[in-house]
Amino acid sequence: MAKKKNRFTVGWLYPDLMNIYGDRGNILTLLQRAAWRGFDARSIDLGRGTTQGMDDVDVFFFGGGQDREQALVYDDLIELKQEPLEAAVAGGAVVLAVCGGYQLLGHYYQTAEGERFPGIGLIDVRTEAGKKRFIGDVVVDANMEGLTPPTLVGFENHSGRTFLGTGARPLGKVRLGSGNNGSDGTEGCLQGGVVGTYLHGSLLPKNPQLADYLIRRSLTRRGLAELAPLDDSTELAAHAKILQRAQPRAQER
Ligand code: GLN
């Protein structure tokens, strides 16, 4: 059945288990910004045991979770979701993955105790947890052409150290915070239609330009490249507030 041209669907992976530090705000932002452009915007829950509706999804969201929750979902991700997710991304769908979700889209996540959870290798990254957690505000100079403002702001709380392979490029460079691993200065990753990041907060309400990037990119396959501009003064004021607050600490680095 032909997809309704004005339908916009967000697929929420494991909403009951992978959803911390305000991650739900990303779903609300994507739906609201699509609805403000006249789309019939909806989200579908893609918990354990189901793949129903995955081929209708425009943007998938995979939130964060502690080691315990990641241990509860990686099997289902490999056995049930991997194939339809790969097919959807190959077909032009987009993925936003935050922290624990970002880690499981890579080759593996290894806990601080040495237990290894296999990932699906959708992105060329690997993660190994350290003893010390990276916690706090993050400011990133994004590596995305035409992103305005060219900064991303958010909050991180993770033990994982993520390293990018040659197949992935960083989402940006950290101006404040630890980002991927606290040593190479990178944050997140971009690979095809997949955006991975350690930024919670939630991310998209304070970074509307990234939300529009995801919506626009997922709609190009339907020939819809332009999105009507919105009044983002409130969102951008919140963004600017974090930048301002981060200034002194960024200079200390
Ligand atoms: N459990 C993972 C880690 O500690 C992810 C944490 C998260 O999603 N915030 O790195």
Side-chain angles (χ1 to χ4, degrees):
M1 184 181 65
K3 186 178 171 76
K4 273 175 58 182
K5 203 160 172 75
N6 79 328
R7 166 92 44 93
F8 176 76
T9 308
V10 174
W12 193 356
L13 293 160
Y14 313 110
D16 51 339
L17 291 166
M18 300 294 286
N19 172 19
I20 49 178
Y21 311 127
D23 284 344
R24 183 167 171 272
N26 295 311
I27 301 284
L28 300 177
T29 303
L30 289 165
L31 293 178
Q32 187 56 68
R33 296 184 72 82
W36 280 331
R37 273 80 176 230
F39 287 94
D40 165 14
R42 57 191 60 207
S43 72
I44 58 169
D45 289 355
L46 297 164
R48 289 181 295 179
T50 181
T51 58
Q52 197 168 357
M54 282 182 76
D55 51 2
D56 262 344
V57 171
D58 298 294
V59 178
F60 290 91
F61 176 68
F62 196 178
Q66 302 311 342
D67 295 6
R68 181 184 163 281
E69 281 72 30
Q70 290 173 291
L72 292 173
V73 302
Y74 76 79
D75 265 341
D76 180 271
L77 184 66
I78 293 167
E79 281 151 32
L80 276 185
K81 307 282 197 300
Q82 177 166 359
E83 233 173 84
L85 196 55
E86 286 168 351
V89 171
V94 166
V95 181
L96 172 65
V98 173
C99 208
Y102 166 36
Q103 296 164 343
L104 290 179
L105 291 187
H107 302 299
Y108 63 82
Y109 168 61
Q110 182 171 300
T111 69
E113 294 70 37
E115 191 181 356
R116 189 171 281 197
F117 305 153
I120 61 172
L122 185 64
I123 47 179
D124 187 13
V125 309
R126 59 183 174 80
T127 305
E128 295 176 13
K131 295 271 176 270
K132 176 178 166 288
R133 290 192 77 81
F134 295 134
I135 302 177
D137 283 341
V138 183
V139 174
V140 176
D141 290 303
N143 174 21
M144 298 172 78
E145 194 123 349
L147 196 75
T148 312
T151 43
L152 297 170
V153 299
F155 166 79
E156 64 182 340
N157 185 338
H158 57 108
S159 59
R161 278 88 171 133
T162 296
F163 297 91
L164 276 52
T166 51
R169 63 190 178 93
L171 180 60
K173 277 209 155 310
V174 283
R175 196 191 286 184
L176 177 73
S178 302
N180 278 331
N181 49 51
S183 53
D184 67 8
T186 67
E187 201 301 296
C189 96
L190 289 165
Q191 187 171 342
V194 181
V195 175
T197 178
Y198 273 110
L199 298 186
H200 291 283
S202 45
L203 170 69
L204 296 181
K206 293 189 288 295
N207 301 282
Q209 76 283 27
L210 182 62
D212 282 359
Y213 165 84
L214 296 164
I215 297 170
R216 197 181 303 116
R217 183 167 176 137
S218 74
L219 296 175
T220 43
R221 63 187 165 168
R222 283 195 252 156
L224 297 163
E226 278 321 308
L227 291 176
L230 296 173
D231 168 7
D232 287 333
S233 46
T234 308
E235 293 87 343
L236 295 175
H239 186 104
K241 190 80 193 157
I242 305 274
L243 287 183
Q244 192 196 15
R245 202 172 71 186
Q247 203 56 37
R249 285 173 289 156
Q251 275 153 0
E252 279 157 22
R253 280 171 65 87

Coordinates of all heavy atoms in Angstrom, one line a residue, residues 18 20-21 63-67 70 98-101 103 109 127 129 133 157-160 198 200, ligand 1:
M18 N 15.5 1.5 26.8 CA 16.6 2.4 26.4 C 16.0 3.8 26.3 O 15.7 4.3 25.2 CB 17.1 1.9 25.1 CG 17.7 0.5 25.1 SD 19.2 0.3 26.2 CE 20.4 1.1 25.1
I20 N 16.8 7.2 28.8 CA 17.2 7.8 30.1 C 17.6 9.3 29.8 O 17.8 9.7 28.6 CB 18.4 7.1 30.7 CG1 19.6 6.8 29.7 CG2 18.0 5.8 31.4 CD1 20.8 6.1 30.3
Y21 N 17.8 10.1 30.9 CA 18.2 11.5 30.8 C 17.4 12.3 29.7 O 18.0 12.9 28.9 CB 19.7 11.6 30.5 CG 20.6 10.7 31.4 CD1 21.5 9.8 30.9 CD2 20.4 10.7 32.8 CE1 22.2 8.9 31.7 CE2 21.2 9.9 33.6 CZ 22.0 9.0 33.0 OH 22.8 8.2 33.8
G63 N 17.6 5.2 22.1 CA 18.1 6.0 23.3 C 19.2 5.3 24.1 O 19.7 4.2 23.7
G64 N 19.5 5.9 25.2 CA 20.5 5.3 26.1 C 20.0 4.4 27.1 O 18.8 4.3 27.3
G65 N 20.9 3.7 27.8 CA 20.5 2.7 28.8 C 21.7 2.2 29.6 O 22.9 2.2 29.0
Q66 N 21.6 1.9 30.8 CA 22.7 1.4 31.6 C 23.0 0.0 31.1 O 22.3 -0.6 30.4 CB 22.3 1.4 33.1 CG 21.9 2.7 33.7 CD 22.9 3.8 33.3 OE1 24.1 3.6 32.9 NE2 22.5 5.1 33.4
D67 N 24.2 -0.5 31.6 CA 24.7 -1.9 31.1 C 23.6 -2.9 31.2 O 23.4 -3.8 30.4 CB 25.9 -2.3 31.9 CG 27.1 -1.4 31.7 OD1 26.9 -0.4 31.0 OD2 28.1 -1.7 32.2
Q70 N 21.1 -2.6 28.4 CA 21.8 -3.0 27.1 C 21.8 -4.5 27.0 O 21.6 -5.1 26.0 CB 23.2 -2.4 27.0 CG 23.1 -0.9 26.8 CD 24.5 -0.3 26.9 OE1 25.1 -0.3 28.0 NE2 25.0 0.2 25.8
V98 N 21.6 7.4 20.7 CA 22.3 8.2 21.8 C 22.9 7.2 22.7 O 22.3 6.2 23.1 CB 21.2 9.0 22.5 CG1 21.8 9.7 23.7 CG2 20.7 10.1 21.6
C99 N 24.2 7.4 23.1 CA 24.9 6.7 24.1 C 24.7 5.2 24.1 O 25.3 4.6 23.2 CB 24.4 7.2 25.5 SG 25.7 7.1 26.7
G100 N 24.0 4.5 25.0 CA 23.9 3.1 24.9 C 23.4 2.5 23.6 O 23.9 1.5 23.2
G101 N 22.5 3.3 23.0 CA 22.0 2.9 21.7 C 23.0 3.0 20.6 O 23.2 2.1 19.8
Q103 N 26.2 2.8 21.1 CA 27.2 1.8 21.3 C 26.8 0.5 20.7 O 27.6 -0.2 20.0 CB 27.5 1.6 22.8 CG 28.1 2.8 23.5 CD 28.0 2.8 25.0 OE1 27.2 2.0 25.6 NE2 28.8 3.6 25.7
Y109 N 29.9 -3.5 22.6 CA 30.1 -2.7 23.8 C 30.6 -3.6 24.9 O 30.0 -4.7 25.2 CB 28.8 -2.1 24.2 CG 28.9 -1.5 25.6 CD1 29.8 -0.4 25.9 CD2 28.1 -2.0 26.7 CE1 29.9 0.1 27.2 CE2 28.2 -1.4 27.9 CZ 29.1 -0.4 28.2 OH 29.3 0.1 29.4
T127 N 33.3 0.0 21.3 CA 33.3 0.7 22.6 C 33.7 -0.2 23.8 O 33.2 -1.3 23.9 CB 31.8 1.2 22.9 OG1 31.4 2.0 21.9 CG2 31.8 2.0 24.2
A129 N 34.3 0.1 28.0 CA 34.0 0.9 29.2 C 35.3 1.0 30.0 O 36.1 0.1 30.1 CB 32.9 0.4 30.0
R133 N 33.5 7.4 35.0 CA 32.4 7.8 34.1 C 32.6 9.2 33.6 O 33.2 10.1 34.4 CB 31.0 7.7 34.9 CG 30.5 6.4 35.2 CD 29.1 6.4 35.6 NE 28.1 6.6 34.5 CZ 27.7 5.6 33.8 NH1 28.2 4.4 34.0 NH2 26.9 5.8 32.8
N157 N 26.7 11.1 30.2 CA 26.9 10.3 31.4 C 27.2 8.9 30.9 O 26.3 8.1 30.7 CB 25.7 10.3 32.3 CG 26.0 9.6 33.6 OD1 26.8 8.8 33.7 ND2 25.2 9.9 34.6
H158 N 28.5 8.5 30.8 CA 28.8 7.2 30.3 C 30.2 6.7 30.7 O 31.0 7.5 31.0 CB 28.8 7.2 28.7 CG 29.7 8.2 28.1 ND1 30.8 7.8 27.4 CD2 29.6 9.6 28.0 CE1 31.4 8.9 26.9 NE2 30.7 10.0 27.3
S159 N 30.3 5.4 30.7 CA 31.7 4.8 31.1 C 32.3 4.3 29.8 O 33.5 4.1 29.8 CB 31.5 3.6 32.0 OG 30.6 2.6 31.4
G160 N 31.5 4.2 28.7 CA 32.1 3.7 27.5 C 33.0 4.7 26.8 O 32.7 5.9 26.8
Y198 N 26.9 10.9 22.1 CA 26.8 10.7 23.6 C 25.9 11.8 24.2 O 25.7 11.8 25.4 CB 28.2 10.7 24.2 CG 28.8 9.3 24.2 CD1 29.9 9.0 23.4 CD2 28.3 8.3 24.9 CE1 30.4 7.7 23.3 CE2 28.8 7.0 24.9 CZ 29.9 6.7 24.1 OH 30.4 5.4 24.1
H200 N 22.9 13.4 25.6 CA 21.5 13.3 26.2 C 21.1 14.7 26.5 O 21.7 15.7 26.1 CB 21.6 12.6 27.6 CG 21.9 11.1 27.5 ND1 21.0 10.2 27.1 CD2 23.1 10.4 27.8 CE1 21.6 9.0 27.2 NE2 22.8 9.1 27.6
Ligands
GLN1 N1 25.9 1.8 29.7 C1 26.6 2.6 28.8 C2 27.8 3.3 29.4 O1 27.9 3.4 30.5 C3 25.7 3.7 28.2 C4 25.2 4.6 29.2 C5 24.1 5.6 28.7 O2 23.4 5.3 27.8 N2 24.0 6.8 29.3 O3 28.7 3.8 28.7

